[in-house]
Amino acid sequence: MTFLKYLALRGLTRHDSEDVVSDAFLALYRARTALRAARSPEAFAFKVLRDALVDFRRERGRQPVPVADQADGWTAPDDVAGLVARLDFRRMLARLTPRQAECLEMRVLLGEDVAEIGRYLGISPSAVHSHLSDARRRLEDHDDRRKEER
């Protein structure tokens, strides 16, 4: 379930997320010897998932994007608020290092605890705390600079 949530955070539909997770599980099955030997199987699995996502996006980038039958170019008002919130969150994450962004996403959006985040990313809980702290500080500094500019 965490894999599906992670992929949803990256903008994939439920159907596409399930396809990517299936590809990741197939890759994990093929690499089961390495998975068993890994120091952190959760981190190994998460890395395989991220690789499957990259492969999916590369493949999708080579294919034409079909237009939905009922797409009329309009978005429902409720969807607009959610879209704006997601775009704001994406802009905020873009100000962080990739590791800080991953930690913050998993903490805020997935609700994972520090130990679980560390297990998925293959880092210690104290490193997760450090990344989260640095991310908050960086975002606060950016927010303070924006207020001063006004």
Side-chain angles (χ1 to χ4, degrees), residues 82-136:
L83 178 63
V84 168
R86 284 193 300 277
L87 289 173
D88 286 346
F89 192 69
R90 286 278 158 221
R91 279 190 217 109
M92 181 179 72
L93 292 175
R95 294 184 200 106
L96 304 174
T97 66
R99 184 61 71 166
Q100 289 171 348
E102 274 186 323
C103 288
L104 191 61
E105 276 183 312
M106 293 183 82
R107 180 75 175 148
V108 172
L109 299 177
L110 296 180
E112 298 291 345
D113 63 23
V114 173
E116 200 65 23
I117 294 169
R119 203 171 13 263
Y120 279 116
L121 298 179
I123 58 178
S124 69
S126 62
V128 173
H129 275 294
S130 179
H131 287 302
L132 289 172
S133 177
D134 291 345
R136 287 185 194 107

Side-chain angles (χ1 to χ4, degrees), residues 67-91:
V67 177
D69 292 342
Q70 68 250 22
D72 59 1
W74 294 97
T75 306
D78 325 10
D79 294 336
V80 171
L83 178 63
V84 168
R86 284 193 300 277
L87 289 173
D88 286 346
F89 192 69
R90 286 278 158 221
R91 279 190 217 109

Side-chain angles (χ1 to χ4, degrees), residues 8 65 80 140:
V65 178
V80 171
E140 286 170 359

